[in-house]
Amino acid sequence: MRIDRDTFREILDSLLRNRSRSLLTGFGVFWGVFMLMLLSGGGNGFRELLEKNFEGFAHNTCIVFPSETTKPYKGFQKGRYWSLNLTDVDRLKNLVPELETVTPLVSLWGRSVSNGDRLFTASVKGVRPDYSNIETPKLVYGRYINWMDIQEDKKVCVIGKKVYKTLFPEGGDPCGKKVVMDGVYYQVVGVDYNEGNMNVNGRADEALTIPMSTMSRTYNFGNQIQLLCFTAKEGIQMADLIPRIRVILARNHYVHPDDEQAMYMINTQVLFGIIDNLFKGINFLVWLIGLGTLLAGAIGVSNIMMVSVKERTTEIGIRRAIGATPNQILWQIIAESIVLTLVAGMMGIVASVLVLAGLELGMTEDGILKATFQVSFGVALLAALLLSVLGSLAGLAPSLRAMAIKPVDAMRDE
């Protein structure tokens, strides 16, 4: 049923004649929509901020590092220290085909890196090119370590953001320039701007990344490695592979397969699964609170409209007496409820967008927005549709009461 000009004028006249009541009723709807949009946008921004802490880190990674044994095994006493080596890499690649990447890592901390005039204390990582599948670099200049660097033991490096800003404050492309660490000169071949807080053996923005073969020769690591990182192929759960991997590595180093403390395994799939479930719960709670507040506002609209119908008994009776049909009375009351709900709801959406925009201004660093706190157009559209439905339901009971008013009863009430 469409709203003609006369009906629309009557709706506005009714709302204006009851301004204080309309404002009180509309505030409940306004507050409900405002809180729903604010919590939804804030939850999205908070999630984005948290995800930036894990930026560039593979979600299906497992990290293995050795520790002191706690169980005797095959003639070896407990309390023995052991090390991973490069043969473990080839062994896992051959025996566990479900693994996508298997890559070693060696590292050192607190190394002084200089370009002559300036000094930075950095962590040093010796990696292979496929380590980029574990921590994906965010290169703004140059390239990452490649296999030619590994084969030729090249003295090249990729520097993190903080290293770059400290050693090269003038900016520009530093590739081709030299830095010195422990008396060895390395040519810069890339700058990594990855600032994620989830990392292996040191933050990427404070690290100097060099070829693993070069680091092994320079610092006499030989065949030993400190950590072993691997990722599973798509669709395969890392938790299903860990028992097999533990047995293979334990057998190669005479470690008891059940000695979990001797071989620590960090499964990041579990961590990311917990985070996903956390935000699913937060989103459910946000919508539960928002919908509950909206429902309370809709009940308020229904109660106010019921009072309005009671006060307008004589008016409705006269309209019925001069020819107004029950459907016309029904539609006017429902339309009043919808208009009141939509106007208050739209104001709540606009207010929440403005507040979230102000929040975004405070989350900007170096002209770059850290996180988006705004709600999507789809969410706003869904809220508008929900308001229309709630407005219709809120006006249904009052409109049915208005339809039941008889002209004779209205005159007698007068």
PDB file of all heavy atoms in Angstrom, residues 47-80:
ATOM      1  N   ARG A  47      39.752  -5.967  15.577  1.00  0.00           N
ATOM      2  CA  ARG A  47      40.215  -7.187  14.916  1.00  0.00           C
ATOM      3  C   ARG A  47      41.331  -6.862  13.921  1.00  0.00           C
ATOM      4  O   ARG A  47      42.328  -7.584  13.830  1.00  0.00           O
ATOM      5  CB  ARG A  47      39.049  -7.870  14.211  1.00  0.00           C
ATOM      6  CG  ARG A  47      39.486  -9.102  13.426  1.00  0.00           C
ATOM      7  CD  ARG A  47      38.334  -9.897  12.909  1.00  0.00           C
ATOM      8  NE  ARG A  47      38.797 -11.158  12.363  1.00  0.00           N
ATOM      9  CZ  ARG A  47      38.104 -12.278  12.359  1.00  0.00           C
ATOM     10  NH1 ARG A  47      36.910 -12.316  12.895  1.00  0.00           N
ATOM     11  NH2 ARG A  47      38.579 -13.388  11.831  1.00  0.00           N
ATOM     12  N   GLU A  48      41.156  -5.774  13.171  1.00  0.00           N
ATOM     13  CA  GLU A  48      42.173  -5.403  12.189  1.00  0.00           C
ATOM     14  C   GLU A  48      43.490  -5.055  12.870  1.00  0.00           C
ATOM     15  O   GLU A  48      44.569  -5.402  12.373  1.00  0.00           O
ATOM     16  CB  GLU A  48      41.667  -4.218  11.364  1.00  0.00           C
ATOM     17  CG  GLU A  48      42.476  -3.952  10.108  1.00  0.00           C
ATOM     18  CD  GLU A  48      41.821  -2.931   9.204  1.00  0.00           C
ATOM     19  OE1 GLU A  48      40.571  -2.869   9.183  1.00  0.00           O
ATOM     20  OE2 GLU A  48      42.558  -2.192   8.534  1.00  0.00           O
ATOM     21  N   LEU A  49      43.406  -4.351  14.023  1.00  0.00           N
ATOM     22  CA  LEU A  49      44.625  -4.026  14.770  1.00  0.00           C
ATOM     23  C   LEU A  49      45.323  -5.289  15.250  1.00  0.00           C
ATOM     24  O   LEU A  49      46.552  -5.406  15.171  1.00  0.00           O
ATOM     25  CB  LEU A  49      44.278  -3.141  15.970  1.00  0.00           C
ATOM     26  CG  LEU A  49      44.030  -1.657  15.701  1.00  0.00           C
ATOM     27  CD1 LEU A  49      43.593  -0.959  16.986  1.00  0.00           C
ATOM     28  CD2 LEU A  49      45.284  -0.989  15.149  1.00  0.00           C
ATOM     29  N   LEU A  50      44.534  -6.242  15.749  1.00  0.00           N
ATOM     30  CA  LEU A  50      45.126  -7.485  16.230  1.00  0.00           C
ATOM     31  C   LEU A  50      45.728  -8.284  15.091  1.00  0.00           C
ATOM     32  O   LEU A  50      46.805  -8.883  15.232  1.00  0.00           O
ATOM     33  CB  LEU A  50      44.068  -8.312  16.960  1.00  0.00           C
ATOM     34  CG  LEU A  50      44.561  -9.568  17.685  1.00  0.00           C
ATOM     35  CD1 LEU A  50      45.618  -9.200  18.724  1.00  0.00           C
ATOM     36  CD2 LEU A  50      43.407 -10.292  18.355  1.00  0.00           C
ATOM     37  N   GLU A  51      45.050  -8.297  13.938  1.00  0.00           N
ATOM     38  CA  GLU A  51      45.572  -9.050  12.803  1.00  0.00           C
ATOM     39  C   GLU A  51      46.868  -8.458  12.277  1.00  0.00           C
ATOM     40  O   GLU A  51      47.705  -9.171  11.724  1.00  0.00           O
ATOM     41  CB  GLU A  51      44.522  -9.090  11.689  1.00  0.00           C
ATOM     42  CG  GLU A  51      43.358 -10.036  11.990  1.00  0.00           C
ATOM     43  CD  GLU A  51      42.309 -10.030  10.904  1.00  0.00           C
ATOM     44  OE1 GLU A  51      42.329  -9.087  10.072  1.00  0.00           O
ATOM     45  OE2 GLU A  51      41.465 -10.948  10.884  1.00  0.00           O
ATOM     46  N   LYS A  52      47.059  -7.137  12.461  1.00  0.00           N
ATOM     47  CA  LYS A  52      48.310  -6.514  12.024  1.00  0.00           C
ATOM     48  C   LYS A  52      49.488  -7.035  12.839  1.00  0.00           C
ATOM     49  O   LYS A  52      50.634  -7.017  12.376  1.00  0.00           O
ATOM     50  CB  LYS A  52      48.206  -4.989  12.126  1.00  0.00           C
ATOM     51  CG  LYS A  52      47.408  -4.354  10.998  1.00  0.00           C
ATOM     52  CD  LYS A  52      47.449  -2.847  11.065  1.00  0.00           C
ATOM     53  CE  LYS A  52      46.677  -2.222   9.909  1.00  0.00           C
ATOM     54  NZ  LYS A  52      47.290  -2.503   8.612  1.00  0.00           N
ATOM     55  N   ASN A  53      49.210  -7.475  14.075  1.00  0.00           N
ATOM     56  CA  ASN A  53      50.283  -8.055  14.883  1.00  0.00           C
ATOM     57  C   ASN A  53      50.784  -9.364  14.289  1.00  0.00           C
ATOM     58  O   ASN A  53      51.900  -9.788  14.563  1.00  0.00           O
ATOM     59  CB  ASN A  53      49.793  -8.295  16.314  1.00  0.00           C
ATOM     60  CG  ASN A  53      49.582  -7.013  17.077  1.00  0.00           C
ATOM     61  OD1 ASN A  53      50.344  -6.072  16.933  1.00  0.00           O
ATOM     62  ND2 ASN A  53      48.540  -6.955  17.888  1.00  0.00           N
ATOM     63  N   PHE A  54      49.919 -10.034  13.505  1.00  0.00           N
ATOM     64  CA  PHE A  54      50.306 -11.297  12.883  1.00  0.00           C
ATOM     65  C   PHE A  54      50.525 -11.133  11.385  1.00  0.00           C
ATOM     66  O   PHE A  54      50.537 -12.111  10.647  1.00  0.00           O
ATOM     67  CB  PHE A  54      49.225 -12.352  13.125  1.00  0.00           C
ATOM     68  CG  PHE A  54      48.832 -12.468  14.565  1.00  0.00           C
ATOM     69  CD1 PHE A  54      47.552 -12.127  14.993  1.00  0.00           C
ATOM     70  CD2 PHE A  54      49.741 -12.911  15.499  1.00  0.00           C
ATOM     71  CE1 PHE A  54      47.193 -12.233  16.316  1.00  0.00           C
ATOM     72  CE2 PHE A  54      49.387 -13.027  16.831  1.00  0.00           C
ATOM     73  CZ  PHE A  54      48.114 -12.684  17.245  1.00  0.00           C
ATOM     74  N   GLU A  55      50.664  -9.880  10.945  1.00  0.00           N
ATOM     75  CA  GLU A  55      50.799  -9.595   9.513  1.00  0.00           C
ATOM     76  C   GLU A  55      52.007 -10.319   8.922  1.00  0.00           C
ATOM     77  O   GLU A  55      53.121 -10.254   9.450  1.00  0.00           O
ATOM     78  CB  GLU A  55      50.941  -8.090   9.302  1.00  0.00           C
ATOM     79  CG  GLU A  55      50.995  -7.664   7.849  1.00  0.00           C
ATOM     80  CD  GLU A  55      51.102  -6.155   7.694  1.00  0.00           C
ATOM     81  OE1 GLU A  55      51.435  -5.483   8.678  1.00  0.00           O
ATOM     82  OE2 GLU A  55      50.860  -5.660   6.585  1.00  0.00           O
ATOM     83  N   GLY A  56      51.777 -11.018   7.832  1.00  0.00           N
ATOM     84  CA  GLY A  56      52.860 -11.669   7.118  1.00  0.00           C
ATOM     85  C   GLY A  56      53.251 -13.031   7.658  1.00  0.00           C
ATOM     86  O   GLY A  56      54.115 -13.698   7.075  1.00  0.00           O
ATOM     87  N   PHE A  57      52.629 -13.452   8.772  1.00  0.00           N
ATOM     88  CA  PHE A  57      53.021 -14.743   9.351  1.00  0.00           C
ATOM     89  C   PHE A  57      52.038 -15.818   8.908  1.00  0.00           C
ATOM     90  O   PHE A  57      50.821 -15.642   8.997  1.00  0.00           O
ATOM     91  CB  PHE A  57      53.045 -14.663  10.876  1.00  0.00           C
ATOM     92  CG  PHE A  57      53.881 -15.729  11.523  1.00  0.00           C
ATOM     93  CD1 PHE A  57      55.219 -15.513  11.769  1.00  0.00           C
ATOM     94  CD2 PHE A  57      53.332 -16.950  11.860  1.00  0.00           C
ATOM     95  CE1 PHE A  57      56.003 -16.493  12.353  1.00  0.00           C
ATOM     96  CE2 PHE A  57      54.088 -17.943  12.447  1.00  0.00           C
ATOM     97  CZ  PHE A  57      55.435 -17.712  12.689  1.00  0.00           C
ATOM     98  N   ALA A  58      52.559 -16.949   8.425  1.00  0.00           N
ATOM     99  CA  ALA A  58      51.713 -18.029   7.913  1.00  0.00           C
ATOM    100  C   ALA A  58      50.860 -18.620   9.026  1.00  0.00           C
ATOM    101  O   ALA A  58      51.343 -18.858  10.136  1.00  0.00           O
ATOM    102  CB  ALA A  58      52.580 -19.118   7.291  1.00  0.00           C
ATOM    103  N   HIS A  59      49.591 -18.874   8.718  1.00  0.00           N
ATOM    104  CA  HIS A  59      48.649 -19.363   9.726  1.00  0.00           C
ATOM    105  C   HIS A  59      48.757 -20.860   9.965  1.00  0.00           C
ATOM    106  O   HIS A  59      48.215 -21.359  10.945  1.00  0.00           O
ATOM    107  CB  HIS A  59      47.211 -19.021   9.303  1.00  0.00           C
ATOM    108  CG  HIS A  59      46.902 -17.564   9.418  1.00  0.00           C
ATOM    109  ND1 HIS A  59      45.625 -17.079   9.481  1.00  0.00           N
ATOM    110  CD2 HIS A  59      47.719 -16.485   9.493  1.00  0.00           C
ATOM    111  CE1 HIS A  59      45.657 -15.757   9.589  1.00  0.00           C
ATOM    112  NE2 HIS A  59      46.912 -15.376   9.585  1.00  0.00           N
ATOM    113  N   ASN A  60      49.423 -21.589   9.079  1.00  0.00           N
ATOM    114  CA  ASN A  60      49.497 -23.051   9.210  1.00  0.00           C
ATOM    115  C   ASN A  60      50.932 -23.497   9.461  1.00  0.00           C
ATOM    116  O   ASN A  60      51.409 -24.464   8.893  1.00  0.00           O
ATOM    117  CB  ASN A  60      48.953 -23.720   7.951  1.00  0.00           C
ATOM    118  CG  ASN A  60      49.746 -23.338   6.704  1.00  0.00           C
ATOM    119  OD1 ASN A  60      50.422 -22.307   6.674  1.00  0.00           O
ATOM    120  ND2 ASN A  60      49.662 -24.159   5.678  1.00  0.00           N
ATOM    121  N   THR A  61      51.613 -22.757  10.342  1.00  0.00           N
ATOM    122  CA  THR A  61      53.034 -22.999  10.595  1.00  0.00           C
ATOM    123  C   THR A  61      53.238 -23.791  11.876  1.00  0.00           C
ATOM    124  O   THR A  61      52.486 -23.644  12.837  1.00  0.00           O
ATOM    125  CB  THR A  61      53.787 -21.659  10.705  1.00  0.00           C
ATOM    126  OG1 THR A  61      53.620 -20.925   9.506  1.00  0.00           O
ATOM    127  CG2 THR A  61      55.260 -21.874  10.960  1.00  0.00           C
ATOM    128  N   CYS A  62      54.276 -24.590  11.873  1.00  0.00           N
ATOM    129  CA  CYS A  62      54.741 -25.243  13.101  1.00  0.00           C
ATOM    130  C   CYS A  62      56.235 -24.971  13.242  1.00  0.00           C
ATOM    131  O   CYS A  62      56.976 -25.006  12.249  1.00  0.00           O
ATOM    132  CB  CYS A  62      54.487 -26.748  13.065  1.00  0.00           C
ATOM    133  SG  CYS A  62      54.883 -27.585  14.630  1.00  0.00           S
ATOM    134  N   ILE A  63      56.658 -24.664  14.437  1.00  0.00           N
ATOM    135  CA  ILE A  63      58.063 -24.341  14.714  1.00  0.00           C
ATOM    136  C   ILE A  63      58.601 -25.358  15.712  1.00  0.00           C
ATOM    137  O   ILE A  63      57.982 -25.591  16.759  1.00  0.00           O
ATOM    138  CB  ILE A  63      58.202 -22.912  15.273  1.00  0.00           C
ATOM    139  CG1 ILE A  63      57.579 -21.911  14.301  1.00  0.00           C
ATOM    140  CG2 ILE A  63      59.659 -22.570  15.532  1.00  0.00           C
ATOM    141  CD1 ILE A  63      57.376 -20.539  14.897  1.00  0.00           C
ATOM    142  N   VAL A  64      59.730 -25.955  15.394  1.00  0.00           N
ATOM    143  CA  VAL A  64      60.342 -26.978  16.251  1.00  0.00           C
ATOM    144  C   VAL A  64      61.691 -26.479  16.732  1.00  0.00           C
ATOM    145  O   VAL A  64      62.492 -25.977  15.925  1.00  0.00           O
ATOM    146  CB  VAL A  64      60.531 -28.307  15.482  1.00  0.00           C
ATOM    147  CG1 VAL A  64      61.144 -29.358  16.399  1.00  0.00           C
ATOM    148  CG2 VAL A  64      59.211 -28.796  14.929  1.00  0.00           C
ATOM    149  N   PHE A  65      61.923 -26.605  18.036  1.00  0.00           N
ATOM    150  CA  PHE A  65      63.271 -26.316  18.532  1.00  0.00           C
ATOM    151  C   PHE A  65      63.614 -27.304  19.649  1.00  0.00           C
ATOM    152  O   PHE A  65      62.750 -27.721  20.423  1.00  0.00           O
ATOM    153  CB  PHE A  65      63.410 -24.868  19.008  1.00  0.00           C
ATOM    154  CG  PHE A  65      62.422 -24.448  20.053  1.00  0.00           C
ATOM    155  CD1 PHE A  65      62.734 -24.505  21.403  1.00  0.00           C
ATOM    156  CD2 PHE A  65      61.174 -23.968  19.689  1.00  0.00           C
ATOM    157  CE1 PHE A  65      61.836 -24.100  22.357  1.00  0.00           C
ATOM    158  CE2 PHE A  65      60.271 -23.556  20.638  1.00  0.00           C
ATOM    159  CZ  PHE A  65      60.588 -23.623  21.980  1.00  0.00           C
ATOM    160  N   PRO A  66      64.873 -27.705  19.699  1.00  0.00           N
ATOM    161  CA  PRO A  66      65.290 -28.748  20.653  1.00  0.00           C
ATOM    162  C   PRO A  66      65.528 -28.177  22.041  1.00  0.00           C
ATOM    163  O   PRO A  66      65.801 -26.992  22.219  1.00  0.00           O
ATOM    164  CB  PRO A  66      66.590 -29.267  20.033  1.00  0.00           C
ATOM    165  CG  PRO A  66      67.152 -28.083  19.308  1.00  0.00           C
ATOM    166  CD  PRO A  66      65.978 -27.299  18.816  1.00  0.00           C
ATOM    167  N   SER A  67      65.445 -29.058  23.030  1.00  0.00           N
ATOM    168  CA  SER A  67      65.725 -28.674  24.406  1.00  0.00           C
ATOM    169  C   SER A  67      66.327 -29.876  25.123  1.00  0.00           C
ATOM    170  O   SER A  67      66.554 -30.935  24.521  1.00  0.00           O
ATOM    171  CB  SER A  67      64.447 -28.206  25.096  1.00  0.00           C
ATOM    172  OG  SER A  67      64.727 -27.728  26.396  1.00  0.00           O
ATOM    173  N   GLU A  68      66.531 -29.729  26.405  1.00  0.00           N
ATOM    174  CA  GLU A  68      67.142 -30.791  27.194  1.00  0.00           C
ATOM    175  C   GLU A  68      66.188 -31.976  27.319  1.00  0.00           C
ATOM    176  O   GLU A  68      64.987 -31.805  27.554  1.00  0.00           O
ATOM    177  CB  GLU A  68      67.489 -30.241  28.583  1.00  0.00           C
ATOM    178  CG  GLU A  68      68.175 -31.223  29.504  1.00  0.00           C
ATOM    179  CD  GLU A  68      68.464 -30.606  30.852  1.00  0.00           C
ATOM    180  OE1 GLU A  68      68.088 -29.437  31.066  1.00  0.00           O
ATOM    181  OE2 GLU A  68      69.035 -31.302  31.706  1.00  0.00           O
ATOM    182  N   THR A  69      66.725 -33.183  27.151  1.00  0.00           N
ATOM    183  CA  THR A  69      65.889 -34.371  27.255  1.00  0.00           C
ATOM    184  C   THR A  69      65.495 -34.615  28.711  1.00  0.00           C
ATOM    185  O   THR A  69      66.244 -34.292  29.644  1.00  0.00           O
ATOM    186  CB  THR A  69      66.623 -35.607  26.712  1.00  0.00           C
ATOM    187  OG1 THR A  69      67.824 -35.822  27.474  1.00  0.00           O
ATOM    188  CG2 THR A  69      66.990 -35.424  25.254  1.00  0.00           C
ATOM    189  N   THR A  70      64.308 -35.188  28.896  1.00  0.00           N
ATOM    190  CA  THR A  70      63.825 -35.488  30.249  1.00  0.00           C
ATOM    191  C   THR A  70      63.599 -36.987  30.455  1.00  0.00           C
ATOM    192  O   THR A  70      63.182 -37.394  31.532  1.00  0.00           O
ATOM    193  CB  THR A  70      62.501 -34.741  30.513  1.00  0.00           C
ATOM    194  OG1 THR A  70      61.523 -35.144  29.541  1.00  0.00           O
ATOM    195  CG2 THR A  70      62.700 -33.240  30.445  1.00  0.00           C
ATOM    196  N   LYS A  71      63.899 -37.788  29.401  1.00  0.00           N
ATOM    197  CA  LYS A  71      63.731 -39.230  29.515  1.00  0.00           C
ATOM    198  C   LYS A  71      64.956 -39.925  28.927  1.00  0.00           C
ATOM    199  O   LYS A  71      65.471 -39.515  27.890  1.00  0.00           O
ATOM    200  CB  LYS A  71      62.479 -39.692  28.767  1.00  0.00           C
ATOM    201  CG  LYS A  71      61.175 -39.189  29.358  1.00  0.00           C
ATOM    202  CD  LYS A  71      59.985 -39.709  28.568  1.00  0.00           C
ATOM    203  CE  LYS A  71      58.679 -39.215  29.169  1.00  0.00           C
ATOM    204  NZ  LYS A  71      57.497 -39.728  28.430  1.00  0.00           N
ATOM    205  N   PRO A  72      65.435 -40.988  29.576  1.00  0.00           N
ATOM    206  CA  PRO A  72      66.545 -41.750  28.984  1.00  0.00           C
ATOM    207  C   PRO A  72      66.041 -42.538  27.777  1.00  0.00           C
ATOM    208  O   PRO A  72      64.880 -42.931  27.708  1.00  0.00           O
ATOM    209  CB  PRO A  72      66.973 -42.685  30.120  1.00  0.00           C
ATOM    210  CG  PRO A  72      65.744 -42.825  30.972  1.00  0.00           C
ATOM    211  CD  PRO A  72      65.009 -41.528  30.888  1.00  0.00           C
ATOM    212  N   TYR A  73      66.969 -42.757  26.791  1.00  0.00           N
ATOM    213  CA  TYR A  73      66.542 -43.467  25.584  1.00  0.00           C
ATOM    214  C   TYR A  73      67.746 -44.079  24.886  1.00  0.00           C
ATOM    215  O   TYR A  73      68.739 -43.381  24.609  1.00  0.00           O
ATOM    216  CB  TYR A  73      65.830 -42.494  24.655  1.00  0.00           C
ATOM    217  CG  TYR A  73      65.191 -43.141  23.449  1.00  0.00           C
ATOM    218  CD1 TYR A  73      64.133 -44.032  23.586  1.00  0.00           C
ATOM    219  CD2 TYR A  73      65.657 -42.868  22.165  1.00  0.00           C
ATOM    220  CE1 TYR A  73      63.542 -44.619  22.482  1.00  0.00           C
ATOM    221  CE2 TYR A  73      65.080 -43.455  21.048  1.00  0.00           C
ATOM    222  CZ  TYR A  73      64.017 -44.329  21.216  1.00  0.00           C
ATOM    223  OH  TYR A  73      63.443 -44.907  20.110  1.00  0.00           O
ATOM    224  N   LYS A  74      67.685 -45.379  24.632  1.00  0.00           N
ATOM    225  CA  LYS A  74      68.716 -46.123  23.900  1.00  0.00           C
ATOM    226  C   LYS A  74      70.122 -45.862  24.441  1.00  0.00           C
ATOM    227  O   LYS A  74      71.053 -45.560  23.691  1.00  0.00           O
ATOM    228  CB  LYS A  74      68.656 -45.787  22.414  1.00  0.00           C
ATOM    229  CG  LYS A  74      67.424 -46.364  21.734  1.00  0.00           C
ATOM    230  CD  LYS A  74      67.506 -46.238  20.223  1.00  0.00           C
ATOM    231  CE  LYS A  74      66.316 -46.949  19.564  1.00  0.00           C
ATOM    232  NZ  LYS A  74      66.370 -46.882  18.096  1.00  0.00           N
ATOM    233  N   GLY A  75      70.266 -45.971  25.747  1.00  0.00           N
ATOM    234  CA  GLY A  75      71.572 -45.831  26.375  1.00  0.00           C
ATOM    235  C   GLY A  75      71.956 -44.399  26.717  1.00  0.00           C
ATOM    236  O   GLY A  75      72.959 -44.190  27.409  1.00  0.00           O
ATOM    237  N   PHE A  76      71.210 -43.438  26.264  1.00  0.00           N
ATOM    238  CA  PHE A  76      71.499 -42.045  26.593  1.00  0.00           C
ATOM    239  C   PHE A  76      70.714 -41.639  27.834  1.00  0.00           C
ATOM    240  O   PHE A  76      69.519 -41.939  27.950  1.00  0.00           O
ATOM    241  CB  PHE A  76      71.121 -41.121  25.441  1.00  0.00           C
ATOM    242  CG  PHE A  76      71.994 -41.266  24.230  1.00  0.00           C
ATOM    243  CD1 PHE A  76      71.618 -42.107  23.181  1.00  0.00           C
ATOM    244  CD2 PHE A  76      73.193 -40.582  24.139  1.00  0.00           C
ATOM    245  CE1 PHE A  76      72.411 -42.252  22.068  1.00  0.00           C
ATOM    246  CE2 PHE A  76      73.987 -40.714  23.021  1.00  0.00           C
ATOM    247  CZ  PHE A  76      73.602 -41.556  21.976  1.00  0.00           C
ATOM    248  N   GLN A  77      71.391 -40.961  28.765  1.00  0.00           N
ATOM    249  CA  GLN A  77      70.751 -40.512  29.984  1.00  0.00           C
ATOM    250  C   GLN A  77      69.908 -39.254  29.718  1.00  0.00           C
ATOM    251  O   GLN A  77      70.113 -38.545  28.732  1.00  0.00           O
ATOM    252  CB  GLN A  77      71.808 -40.209  31.059  1.00  0.00           C
ATOM    253  CG  GLN A  77      72.631 -41.414  31.474  1.00  0.00           C
ATOM    254  CD  GLN A  77      71.773 -42.493  32.126  1.00  0.00           C
ATOM    255  OE1 GLN A  77      70.883 -42.205  32.922  1.00  0.00           O
ATOM    256  NE2 GLN A  77      72.050 -43.756  31.787  1.00  0.00           N
ATOM    257  N   LYS A  78      68.968 -39.015  30.616  1.00  0.00           N
ATOM    258  CA  LYS A  78      68.194 -37.781  30.495  1.00  0.00           C
ATOM    259  C   LYS A  78      69.072 -36.580  30.850  1.00  0.00           C
ATOM    260  O   LYS A  78      70.118 -36.728  31.489  1.00  0.00           O
ATOM    261  CB  LYS A  78      66.962 -37.822  31.400  1.00  0.00           C
ATOM    262  CG  LYS A  78      67.271 -37.820  32.891  1.00  0.00           C
ATOM    263  CD  LYS A  78      65.977 -37.803  33.703  1.00  0.00           C
ATOM    264  CE  LYS A  78      66.301 -37.734  35.199  1.00  0.00           C
ATOM    265  NZ  LYS A  78      65.066 -37.685  36.026  1.00  0.00           N
ATOM    266  N   GLY A  79      68.664 -35.408  30.451  1.00  0.00           N
ATOM    267  CA  GLY A  79      69.459 -34.206  30.685  1.00  0.00           C
ATOM    268  C   GLY A  79      70.455 -33.933  29.566  1.00  0.00           C
ATOM    269  O   GLY A  79      71.317 -33.060  29.695  1.00  0.00           O
ATOM    270  N   ARG A  80      70.344 -34.681  28.474  1.00  0.00           N
ATOM    271  CA  ARG A  80      71.258 -34.495  27.347  1.00  0.00           C
ATOM    272  C   ARG A  80      70.745 -33.382  26.426  1.00  0.00           C
ATOM    273  O   ARG A  80      69.555 -33.275  26.151  1.00  0.00           O
ATOM    274  CB  ARG A  80      71.370 -35.804  26.566  1.00  0.00           C
ATOM    275  CG  ARG A  80      72.205 -35.724  25.295  1.00  0.00           C
ATOM    276  CD  ARG A  80      72.383 -37.110  24.697  1.00  0.00           C
ATOM    277  NE  ARG A  80      71.107 -37.715  24.338  1.00  0.00           N
ATOM    278  CZ  ARG A  80      70.572 -37.619  23.120  1.00  0.00           C
ATOM    279  NH1 ARG A  80      71.203 -36.954  22.162  1.00  0.00           N
ATOM    280  NH2 ARG A  80      69.413 -38.197  22.856  1.00  0.00           N
TER     281      ARG A  80
END
